[in-house]
Amino acid sequence: MSPARIVIVGGGFAGLRALYRLRSLGDRATITLVDPRSTSLARPSLPEVAFAAKPVEHSRFPLEHVVTRSGAHFVQRGVDHVRTGERQVVLDNGELLSYDFLLLALGARKAYDDVKGFDQYGYSLCDDEQAPRLARALEEFTGGPIVVGAAKSVWGTRVEVPNLAAPCEGPVAEIMFMLDYELRRRGLRERSSIRVFSPGRIFFEDVGPRVHADVEPLMARQGIEVTTGKVLDHLDAGSVTFEDATTWESALSIVLPPYRGSDVVARSPHLGDERDFIPTDTTMRHVDAPAVYAAGDATSLSMPKLGHIAVLQADIAAAALRQDLTGEGEVPPWRPEVFCIANRGGDQATLIYSNTLFGGDVDLTLDGASAHLMKWGFDSYYFHSAGHLPPDLATDGLEMALRAAH
Ligand SMILES: Cc1cc2nc3c(=O)[nH]c(=O)nc-3n(C[C@H](O)[C@H](O)[C@H](O)COP(=O)(O)OP(=O)(O)OC[C@H]3O[C@@H](n4cnc5c(N)ncnc54)[C@H](O)[C@@H]3O)c2cc1C
């Protein structure tokens, strides 16, 4: 039997994890990974690029080498659209790639253009252009009011998921704490205020009461004020205006833009939901196209949109695809959970582990230098192993230890 043709689109957290899971298919499959970038970008490292002088090179590593070393083909091109009927991917140069199975790991589009005034007056850190740009702006900053927050995102309705106003407020927490630390270090904190807004009913909608009880005193101690229910309208020189017509003075406006689904999905008939995210069942199979899987921020199901969830989804998608192909193996159950570590400047960080959003009873934090060391360990492992995570044994052990300690 000729090998099955598997095409993976996207070489971020989800795409690389799926590649590493599927490469053991050996000569039963030919795998092609498509991405327009020459490097894979680890977004969780970007706050350190913006606030802690980390070189941007340490947030990315070359893709071609890791893909070919895995026995797969690398195509450095953008995908324009997908023809699910013909099982073809159309590249941005018009070339076609035929597939037997497609795994879409395209990420989400950070819609900076949706924020009026962002191009002139806004800063962010969601990619490797914005984070160094913010670092440069901070170097020149001499004090004044700073406004930080996430714009409101809107979701489709094809898959039932928690309806969060912002899909990932962890970076907002990192920004405010790391900014506070950096301004104190430079003797500018007295001359600066940090005002944080959230479009949600509560800040950090995706975690439960115990995490809130642990994190809120940390914010109060650093003099950081958070206002909820504020939906960003536009940015001006010197101010941020909300939909409720209130305006905050701002010398530096740092915004996480709304998330939208990929343009590829928008251009592909019958692929996306109303917001161009990809609707899947809990095995990550497209609800209408059986040969199409999806994982990571591109899916309707990933909520909140976290690297940890992207990896869980990639494991499920790869196992389900393997089962389609070989009849072998178990597909892991879909058990989403929030697991992230937010740096707070210097050697301090807060680890958050919670599944209350999904009806579970885990809701805990680990705070201090040990959490910082873990984040450093995860990020270094990911960077030096080119997209691998610490072995399951280590992460499962960590989860068990955290549960036992609480
Ligand atoms: C500042 C910041 C900090 C974060 N910190 C954390 C954290 O501490 N912990 C955590 O768990 N999560 C964190 N996240 C979230 C995490 O980064 C994302 O959830 C994760 O990157 C999603 O992985 P992904 O593979 O789905 O998408 P991505 O990592 O975005 O990868 C998508 C890939 O698809 C490629 N692609 C896009 N369009 C095309 C196309 N047309 N054709 C081919 N390829 C294409 C892209 O080039 C990219 O390589 C953070 C996010 C941000 C913005």
mmCIF file of all heavy atoms in Angstrom, residues 1 60 146-147 229 271 298:
data_model
loop_
_atom_site.group_PDB
_atom_site.id
_atom_site.type_symbol
_atom_site.label_atom_id
_atom_site.label_comp_id
_atom_site.label_asym_id
_atom_site.label_seq_id
_atom_site.Cartn_x
_atom_site.Cartn_y
_atom_site.Cartn_z
ATOM 1 N N MET A 1 0.850 -1.207 0.000
ATOM 2 C CA MET A 1 0.000 0.000 0.000
ATOM 3 C C MET A 1 0.877 1.246 0.000
ATOM 4 O O MET A 1 1.881 1.290 0.720
ATOM 5 C CB MET A 1 -0.876 -0.009 1.254
ATOM 6 C CG MET A 1 -2.197 0.688 1.046
ATOM 7 S SD MET A 1 -3.308 0.399 2.442
ATOM 8 C CE MET A 1 -2.652 1.477 3.666
ATOM 9 N N ARG A 60 12.658 31.941 19.008
ATOM 10 C CA ARG A 60 12.349 31.229 17.760
ATOM 11 C C ARG A 60 13.535 30.352 17.359
ATOM 12 O O ARG A 60 14.668 30.604 17.754
ATOM 13 C CB ARG A 60 12.003 32.233 16.654
ATOM 14 C CG ARG A 60 13.051 33.277 16.431
ATOM 15 C CD ARG A 60 12.547 34.465 15.620
ATOM 16 N NE ARG A 60 13.646 35.376 15.360
ATOM 17 C CZ ARG A 60 13.522 36.613 14.912
ATOM 18 N NH1 ARG A 60 12.325 37.112 14.648
ATOM 19 N NH2 ARG A 60 14.580 37.366 14.701
ATOM 20 N N ILE A 146 0.343 54.495 32.180
ATOM 21 C CA ILE A 146 0.399 53.377 31.220
ATOM 22 C C ILE A 146 -0.923 52.621 31.303
ATOM 23 O O ILE A 146 -1.432 52.352 32.396
ATOM 24 C CB ILE A 146 1.555 52.408 31.554
ATOM 25 C CG1 ILE A 146 2.890 53.159 31.569
ATOM 26 C CG2 ILE A 146 1.605 51.258 30.558
ATOM 27 C CD1 ILE A 146 4.081 52.291 31.945
ATOM 28 N N VAL A 147 -1.486 52.301 30.156
ATOM 29 C CA VAL A 147 -2.737 51.538 30.103
ATOM 30 C C VAL A 147 -2.460 50.201 29.425
ATOM 31 O O VAL A 147 -1.809 50.149 28.378
ATOM 32 C CB VAL A 147 -3.835 52.318 29.351
ATOM 33 C CG1 VAL A 147 -5.092 51.467 29.201
ATOM 34 C CG2 VAL A 147 -4.167 53.615 30.092
ATOM 35 N N GLY A 229 -15.057 44.859 32.611
ATOM 36 C CA GLY A 229 -16.194 45.304 31.798
ATOM 37 C C GLY A 229 -15.858 46.494 30.910
ATOM 38 O O GLY A 229 -16.761 47.232 30.492
ATOM 39 N N LEU A 271 -15.152 25.607 5.751
ATOM 40 C CA LEU A 271 -14.109 25.158 6.686
ATOM 41 C C LEU A 271 -14.280 25.756 8.081
ATOM 42 O O LEU A 271 -13.962 25.126 9.081
ATOM 43 C CB LEU A 271 -12.725 25.523 6.127
ATOM 44 C CG LEU A 271 -11.542 24.805 6.745
ATOM 45 C CD1 LEU A 271 -11.642 23.293 6.544
ATOM 46 C CD2 LEU A 271 -10.224 25.299 6.152
ATOM 47 N N ALA A 298 -6.226 27.816 16.278
ATOM 48 C CA ALA A 298 -7.082 27.898 15.086
ATOM 49 C C ALA A 298 -8.446 27.263 15.299
ATOM 50 O O ALA A 298 -9.375 27.509 14.526
ATOM 51 C CB ALA A 298 -6.383 27.210 13.899
#
